Amino acid sequence: MESDHVKESIALIEAESHKETLRFITCGSVDDGKSTLIGRLLFESKNIFDDQLTSLESDSRHYGTQGEKIDLALLVDGLQAEREQGITIDVAYRFFATDRRRYIVADTPGHEQYTRNMATGASTADLAVILVDARKGVLVQTRRHSRIVAMMGIGHIVLAVNKMDLVGFDEQVFSAIEEDFRKFSEDFAFHAIQAIPLSGLEGDNVLFTSNQTPWYSGPSLMEYLEHVDVREASSRSAFRMPLQWINRPNLDFRGYCGRIAEGEIRPGDALRVLPSGVQTRVKSIIRGFGEVGHAYQGQSVTLTLMDEVDASRGDVVAAADDPPQSADQFEARLLWMADHAMTPGRHYLMKHACREVTVTITKIKYREDANTGAHLAAETLALNEIGTVNLSTSAPIVFEPYRVNRLLGGFILIDKLSFETVGAGMINFALRRAQNIHWQALEVNKAARSAIKHQKPLCLWFTGLSGSGKSAIANIVEKQLYAEGRHTSLLDGDNIRHGLNRDLGFTEADRVENIRRIAEVAKLMVGAGLIVLVSFISPFKSDREMARSLFDKGEFVEIFVDTPLDDCEKRDVKGLYAKARRGELKNFTGIDSPYEAPLTPEIYVSGTMASPEEEASLIMNYLATIQ
Amino acid sequence: MSRTIGGAGFSSFSLEDESIEIIREAVATARNPVMLYSIGKDSSVMLHLARKAFYPAAPPFPLMHVDTGWKFRAMYTHRDRMAAESGMKLLVYKNPEGESAGINPFTHGSNYHTDVMKTQALKQALDLYDFDVIFGGARRDEEKSRAKERIFSFRSPGHRWEPKAQRPELWSLYNTSIHPGETIRVFPISNWTELDIWQYIRDEQIAIVPLYLSAERPVVNRGGQWIMIDDERFPFEAGEEPSMKRVRFRTLGCWPLSAAIESDAETLEAVIAETLHASCSERQGRLIDSDVPGSMEKKKQEGYF
């Protein structure tokens, strides 16, 4: 008796471990019934525990939107704020099983403001259930979500035309929505679209086909999920593994750890470490607590190599005869996820495979209209907008186009100050191969140029409000440096705007470009061995950080001339404040555009405490200590 | 063999591979990581995964147990054994004020006891050692606010969780950048279910506290729940008398707060068979989840795991 019971258990366990798992998302517009549908699936497939049902009943009385009936959406909307407002804010992951398959479903929010949470769910899904309210048809948000689903590379779509009970299970309504959806999604190149008329609230065509829709001959949602084959035939499988961790417990062991992004590997296989290109062979493959003779895509392994090669986190090991490309300039598709707009020229952190590099968006080629997909000209990308951009990384990265390999083609962008995740991108292709760039080998270099001038080249960056006295102080400092026999140059905001930057206005994008150009010019001059004095309002922290990042350590000296706005406005040497107050000057720093004060400048100058001469001598003293 | 997850473009991967990737990524980017070790089955699986991730080295971080003084005796034995076996440093922390005030679940109630001895103690310990990345064994299938949480979950200074402002988390690209004072809780077994845990324990022959398997144990019925009498500190009420019952535990914590279930499952196989047919969730035996509405989310916001 006991042994029969155990035998039966073992058979059950074996059957369980052979089940495949399907990961899918539900998405679509607000109130299309996503959470209710998932709740219905969990409920009807008997994946709800008794105690969860009991608390669901009490929750339904508290927060329910279904009158006397239980509100199945509350099974998924787990945050207090969601239950109180009856909306979904963030993606919820739910797990359920049938006799055939196991499922991880990500229920994603429909509100436009939470699009980034929908993208989070979509990035790991194999299939998307896109819901449409039968009464409303395909909406802008349906299109936006479909676009993101396609962008993420999800090929299998269920178009769930929900709330059919509210349109009397009318075939015409269903067919019109299906036709509309197929037409607009033509460009997305989905592998398969299965349209299903259903009612999440009543359960029609959810688990079983409904007799309310005799005109529909397709599968129920559950029948489709049980049998759909989402595997993609891979056209190529060359070995690629980004190095995640170098395991060096002692001098005798050096292991290269990572998760195989593509292909397979065996001991003895020839490898290339990228981007260096060094070649070696696999000595052994460790998986878990032992060695294996074979490992493949998706597995986390530790490799030991025949040679002591120089390889570190972020490098990629790849099949020696078929290595991926390295490049530092790309075209990519980008979903912007931050409240503040993306502006070309700004520096962001890019996380790609196991590497973090600094990246700049050099150009927005176009943004996509959320509704039609039309390519529109754009200066910036706002929250939830999708665009195609060119970007440039501070170091070459080893990549594959996203459509070839998601793990080597996807990246995120991180704001350098707030550390928020601000963008999700997919590499289309490299604009030029990094291996083709050869910097001109210069025999006369910066060190040689500064040696002949007997000085350490520097960039003295004066920042402060208009009228704070930056330029006056910079002028005095330059005179004193000249008197000491130093070689200098002074770049002043107003003068540069008459020449080099005369094509730039005062929009945010132009201001960024203004600073970028001046920083690059200053860098060239520092390269020539000069002490460069830059006097620019430069109100944004990120722009000053960008400028700083162009220079070697110790070369960039930020000087904050801190004069209160009232004093600057009283002085108003150029009459600009008066103009700005009259509304004749837009985006004027201090009036209708912010000034982000430096928190840790190298030199702090109070613009009201002393005369410009005294302030200048303060700076000269500082320079004497570093020269 | 752990279960494979088929996926377009991702080929197939197992939960084990995903968890190992998460653990390595967290360690590679952390300044001072630690693994919260609660001695339960989920912690046991997480520890096993960490050992695999860095084999043949020992995991390059310590284990930390936030002790309330009310764990089952069998748990303390198991804890010390596993620390020794893994070769990892074990840090044990008890809230000193709570301890000297004699905070306990009987006199002070489960809510206050948990807050002082677990939530506050955890925050004190994290601040004391200045950890920036903290591994925890929470799973998304456990509870509805956990179903919403990211794998790399950020905590503002003061260890607060902002459920309405979580960072997007795409693919397996985890944003690990933080400012001083901020920390990251990392949940490597987010995508495992209770059944996955049991199957993995069976397949990998992972040592667990024997309380998970059925045996005759002294219990008292309180409010419809079986409470096991693990030591002499149980305050019997008039007429209460311990009786011997065949019971086991689906989750383990402080013994006065962990309800046992009646069961004959003496083997892992039998436990798994019962799990497959279970009609109640494992958290039903946790007396602290249900004491106030939305209580897990509130506790999490305040810094609880």
Side-chain angles (χ1 to χ4, degrees):
Chain A
M1 192 43 206
E2 177 62 31
S3 72
D4 273 2
H5 183 66
V6 170
K7 242 187 250 166
E8 191 192 324
S9 307
I10 293 171
L12 261 172
I13 296 160
E14 296 302 328
E16 195 63 31
S17 54
H18 288 109
K19 282 183 193 172
E20 304 171 292
T21 300
L22 182 74
R23 295 180 78 149
F24 70 96
I25 59 165
T26 51
C27 60
S29 194
V30 184
D31 288 336
D32 283 352
K34 294 175 289 297
S35 303
T36 303
L37 179 64
I38 305 272
R40 172 65 62 184
L41 270 179
L42 295 173
F43 182 70
E44 293 209 359
S45 57
K46 309 266 184 294
N47 279 280
I48 305 290
F49 291 120
D50 290 352
D51 56 317
Q52 292 172 333
L53 202 56
T54 309
S55 70
L56 174 65
E57 282 163 5
S58 95
D59 285 352
S60 296
R61 283 192 295 275
H62 266 97
Y63 309 111
T65 54
Q66 299 304 324
E68 289 299 299
K69 290 198 238 170
I70 56 171
D71 185 350
L72 293 169
L74 293 172
L75 282 172
V76 201
D77 288 335
L79 300 176
Q80 278 300 101
E82 295 179 323
R83 301 154 83 76
E84 283 159 14
Q85 298 171 49
I87 59 165
T88 306
I89 292 174
D90 212 328
V91 52
Y93 296 89
R94 294 301 305 244
F95 304 78
F96 67 100
T98 61
D99 289 340
R100 196 183 149 79
R101 279 186 169 170
R102 298 164 49 88
Y103 297 91
I104 301 178
V105 51
D107 178 39
T108 70
H111 285 79
E112 186 187 342
Q113 69 181 112
Y114 305 125
T115 298
R116 54 183 166 232
N117 296 334
M118 178 270 169
T120 292
S123 72
T124 51
D126 305 323
L127 176 145
V129 176
I130 300 174
L131 277 90
V132 174
D133 183 332
R135 297 166 303 172
K136 298 178 187 161
V138 175
L139 303 172
V140 180
Q141 190 66 350
T142 320
R143 292 169 196 261
R144 186 193 305 273
H145 277 187
S146 303
R147 195 172 302 284
I148 292 171
V149 161
M151 182 178 182
M152 293 291 168
I154 300 174
H156 289 79
I157 306 299
V158 173
L159 176 68
V161 182
N162 194 21
K163 307 195 184 182
M164 285 299 292
D165 52 316
L166 299 181
V167 294
F169 293 96
D170 185 342
E171 182 181 4
Q172 300 304 319
V173 172
F174 172 73
S175 306
I177 291 173
E178 179 178 3
E179 196 181 330
D180 188 13
F181 184 85
R182 285 189 188 276
K183 212 185 217 166
F184 102 85
S185 67
E186 250 168 23
D187 294 343
F188 296 166
F190 290 132
H191 290 290
I193 300 171
Q194 174 69 50
I196 303 175
L198 51 79
S199 166
L201 198 61
E202 303 294 336
D204 298 275
N205 289 327
V206 176
L207 240 63
F208 306 105
T209 44
S210 166
N211 53 20
Q212 301 273 13
T213 52
W215 42 266
Y216 172 71
S217 58
S220 71
L221 174 61
M222 201 63 229
E223 285 165 3
Y224 183 76
L225 294 175
E226 287 278 81
H227 294 97
V228 64
D229 183 1
V230 296
R231 282 169 304 181
E232 274 170 11
S234 177
S235 57
R236 207 202 46 187
S237 60
F239 179 75
R240 275 119 179 70
M241 183 176 91
L243 293 183
Q244 206 184 359
W245 173 258
I246 311 299
N247 195 5
R248 291 206 67 187
N250 55 58
L251 291 175
D252 302 327
F253 183 87
R254 188 193 285 244
Y256 300 85
C257 307
R259 186 146 177 219
I260 302 173
E262 186 180 308
E264 54 185 355
I265 193 163
R266 293 183 167 75
D269 284 358
L271 290 183
R272 204 184 279 269
V273 181
L274 299 164
S276 76
V278 176
Q279 292 205 42
T280 181
R281 281 181 187 279
V282 180
K283 191 159 139 199
S284 67
I285 305 168
I286 298 169
R287 195 165 145 65
F289 301 122
E291 290 189 13
V292 292
H294 176 218
Y296 51 86
Q297 182 173 352
Q299 296 188 327
S300 284
V301 297
T302 299
L303 305 180
T304 63
L305 304 176
M306 297 283 194
D307 311 285
E308 283 253 322
V309 296
D310 179 18
S312 49
R313 175 175 156 84
D315 288 349
V316 174
V317 287
D321 56 355
D322 188 7
Q325 306 171 57
S326 304
D328 63 357
Q329 294 199 20
F330 305 92
E331 185 195 280
R333 210 162 160 213
L334 188 64
L335 167 66
W336 194 249
M337 305 191 291
D339 294 329
H340 55 273
M342 186 279 283
T343 307
R346 285 261 155 99
H347 285 211
Y348 299 98
L349 275 179
M350 174 194 211
K351 184 154 188 184
H352 168 265
C354 297
R355 170 162 296 203
E356 273 186 17
V357 293
T358 295
V359 69
T360 315
I361 283 83
T362 50
K363 183 181 170 186
I364 300 176
K365 291 190 150 173
Y366 55 84
R367 76 172 173 86
E368 296 168 31
D369 183 279
N371 202 21
T372 64
H375 296 180
L376 308 170
E379 295 277 309
T380 60
L381 277 187
L383 177 67
N384 300 328
E385 287 185 342
I386 296 172
T388 292
V389 301
N390 286 349
L391 41 88
S392 162
T393 56
S394 60
I397 60 167
V398 182
F399 78 101
E400 294 281 5
Y402 185 77
R403 63 183 163 72
V404 174
N405 187 298
R406 293 188 195 185
L407 301 175
L408 291 172
F411 61 86
I412 55 170
L413 298 183
I414 300 167
D415 186 279
K416 282 194 145 187
L417 289 173
S418 71
F419 292 149
E420 287 301 307
T421 306
V422 292
M426 283 133 262
I427 295 174
N428 289 339
F429 49 79
L431 293 171
R432 61 171 187 195
R433 283 169 180 256
Q435 52 261 47
N436 296 342
I437 313 166
H438 294 288
W439 289 102
Q440 188 69 39
L442 300 168
E443 287 170 9
V444 179
N445 56 20
K446 181 160 68 182
R449 291 192 205 99
S450 41
I452 202 175
K453 296 183 183 72
H454 306 291
Q455 66 185 29
K456 176 181 158 55
L458 289 172
C459 174
L460 308 180
W461 191 281
F462 292 79
T463 171
L465 293 168
S466 174
S468 59
K470 307 181 288 299
S471 297
I473 298 170
N475 273 318
I476 298 168
V477 170
E478 190 182 26
K479 276 182 202 160
Q480 296 187 359
L481 285 169
Y482 180 82
E484 287 183 4
R486 308 286 183 191
H487 299 253
T488 61
S489 181
L490 184 102
L491 303 170
D492 185 85
D494 290 345
N495 298 342
I496 298 287
R497 277 204 174 269
H498 287 122
L500 177 65
N501 288 354
R502 71 174 164 215
D503 56 327
L504 298 178
F506 289 89
T507 63
E508 195 178 355
D510 279 1
R511 284 172 164 226
V512 171
E513 177 60 13
N514 186 35
I515 300 295
R516 189 192 69 80
R517 285 188 198 171
I518 207 66
E520 290 285 357
V521 169
K523 182 190 175 181
L524 290 173
M525 290 184 164
V526 165
L530 298 178
I531 296 171
V532 188
L533 299 91
V534 179
S535 173
F536 264 63
I537 299 172
S538 48
F540 298 112
K541 234 182 263 176
S542 56
D543 293 340
R544 296 191 302 263
E545 284 306 310
M546 180 272 291
R548 180 187 292 274
S549 72
L550 293 176
F551 294 90
D552 291 342
K553 208 170 154 48
E555 274 179 4
F556 187 88
V557 179
E558 189 174 27
I559 301 164
F560 176 29
V561 182
D562 187 13
T563 307
L565 180 64
D566 285 352
D567 292 342
C568 296
E569 198 167 353
K570 262 179 232 150
R571 292 180 196 166
D572 204 5
V573 191
K574 304 167 198 158
L576 295 175
Y577 283 97
K579 261 192 180 175
R581 289 288 183 201
R582 289 196 302 269
E584 292 164 22
L585 264 184
K586 288 285 168 216
N587 294 326
F588 193 76
T589 301
I591 306 296
D592 57 350
S593 182
Y595 179 79
E596 298 170 0
L599 299 178
T600 53
E602 274 79 3
I603 305 175
Y604 174 86
V605 172
S606 166
T608 49
M609 297 298 286
S611 68
E613 286 74 17
E614 285 168 294
E615 300 296 3
S617 63
L618 188 88
I619 295 168
M620 290 303 291
N621 289 342
Y622 178 88
L623 295 180
T625 64
I626 59 171
Q627 268 296 332
Chain B
M1 262 300 286
S2 119
R3 173 169 305 107
T4 57
I5 293 185
F10 297 107
S11 180
S12 63
F13 63 85
S14 69
L15 291 169
E16 181 190 75
D17 292 301
E18 182 186 56
S19 300
I20 289 176
E21 178 184 38
I22 292 163
I23 293 170
R24 286 174 174 167
E25 189 66 15
V27 169
T29 53
R31 175 177 52 78
N32 187 17
V34 67
M35 180 169 280
L36 257 285
Y37 180 65
S38 71
I39 324 168
K41 62 184 193 303
D42 299 319
S43 274
S44 301
V45 165
M46 180 167 65
L47 172 59
H48 187 80
L49 291 163
R51 293 173 71 190
K52 278 194 165 187
F54 299 100
Y55 178 85
F61 47 80
L63 294 171
M64 185 165 78
H65 177 221
V66 176
D67 189 12
T68 59
W70 287 89
K71 302 297 168 186
F72 291 91
R73 283 168 301 161
M75 292 172 73
Y76 292 113
T77 316
H78 186 78
R79 177 192 74 188
D80 295 341
R81 184 189 138 200
M82 290 314 294
E85 196 180 289
S86 66
M88 296 164 76
K89 186 173 173 172
L90 173 70
L91 307 169
V92 177
Y93 186 87
K94 256 191 215 179
N95 182 344
E97 294 101 52
E99 197 182 5
S100 63
I103 302 299
N104 70 77
F106 293 115
T107 328
H108 302 91
S110 69
N111 213 11
Y112 188 69
H113 168 79
T114 306
D115 181 53
V116 174
M117 298 308 288
K118 289 179 83 172
T119 308
Q120 299 308 327
L122 173 64
K123 291 198 267 188
Q124 289 168 2
L126 297 179
D127 291 341
L128 175 68
Y129 292 103
D130 189 27
F131 293 120
D132 62 339
V133 166
I134 304 109
F135 289 108
R139 308 190 323 265
R140 283 170 172 161
D141 81 324
E142 278 179 90
E143 197 273 336
K144 46 191 181 293
S145 68
R146 287 196 162 157
K148 292 270 170 181
E149 192 161 8
R150 301 283 190 258
I151 292 173
F152 280 62
S153 187
F154 290 79
R155 296 292 184 276
S156 47
H159 309 283
R160 282 191 69 85
W161 183 48
E162 285 298 336
K164 283 194 278 182
Q166 299 194 82
R167 289 181 180 178
E169 187 169 85
L170 288 100
W171 304 291
S172 48
L173 292 174
Y174 304 106
N175 174 355
T176 54
S177 303
I178 47 172
H179 296 106
E182 294 173 340
T183 55
I184 311 179
R185 306 264 170 108
V186 178
F187 303 109
I189 55 170
S190 287
N191 285 329
W192 296 54
T193 63
E194 185 186 9
L195 192 56
D196 294 322
I197 294 289
W198 283 121
Q199 289 192 313
Y200 191 69
I201 287 171
R202 173 180 178 264
D203 294 347
E204 298 278 318
Q205 301 181 315
I206 297 170
I208 50 166
V209 181
L211 294 165
Y212 284 114
L213 302 178
S214 177
E216 289 260 333
R217 296 185 174 106
V219 289
V220 158
N221 194 309
R222 274 216 178 155
Q225 308 259 27
W226 291 112
I227 303 299
M228 178 179 153
I229 313 302
D230 197 53
D231 58 46
E232 69 298 333
R233 290 177 292 178
F234 188 84
F236 287 99
E237 284 169 12
E240 264 183 349
E241 192 69 55
S243 58
M244 296 302 283
K245 285 254 178 237
R246 296 189 62 75
V247 294
R248 66 178 177 91
F249 294 84
R250 284 177 80 181
T251 61
L252 291 176
C254 295
W255 66 258
L257 300 176
S258 304
I261 55 166
E262 289 185 73
S263 163
D264 288 322
E266 292 174 344
T267 61
L268 281 174
E269 286 75 15
V271 168
I272 295 170
E274 281 193 3
T275 306
L276 280 167
H277 296 119
S279 65
C280 282
S281 79
E282 63 191 307
R283 298 207 76 83
Q284 192 198 26
R286 294 222 180 201
L287 306 185
I288 61 165
D289 288 352
S290 49
D291 39 23
V292 245
S295 65
M296 175 64 89
E297 184 181 343
K298 273 186 199 139
K299 287 197 179 73
K300 284 173 69 63
Q301 284 188 25
E302 286 154 16
Y304 180 72
F305 248 85

